[in-house]
Amino acid sequence: EPLPRIEATMTTHDVRFEDFGSIWLVTPMTATARSWIEENVATESWQWIGGSLAVEPRCVPNLAEGMQAAGLNASLN
């Protein structure tokens, strides 16, 4: 007997923000988000942990607002 078909709506996020207390990790999930960060955020190589940008909590509101204004979808964790 075939398995039942499951349909789900999935929201695709361009960027994921994760709160780790003293730092937040901002992870671009799409090429568009990665390009936006490269073009709009002054970063140092040491701020990148794997594919995520480590930022201070005070930077998060401005980053999120700029990304939203550019039409990117964000997920806050």
Side-chain angles (χ1 to χ4, degrees), residues 9-48:
T9 302
M10 187 170 145
T11 302
T12 302
H13 297 288
D14 295 300
V15 63
R16 183 176 66 224
F17 288 83
E18 295 177 280
D19 182 4
F20 288 94
S22 62
I23 66 162
W24 280 66
L25 292 183
V26 180
T27 308
M29 306 299 287
T30 63
T32 303
R34 178 71 183 206
S35 294
W36 188 92
I37 291 171
E38 290 173 359
E39 294 170 10
N40 296 282
V41 182
T43 66
E44 299 291 336
S45 60
W46 55 264
Q47 286 180 274
W48 288 93

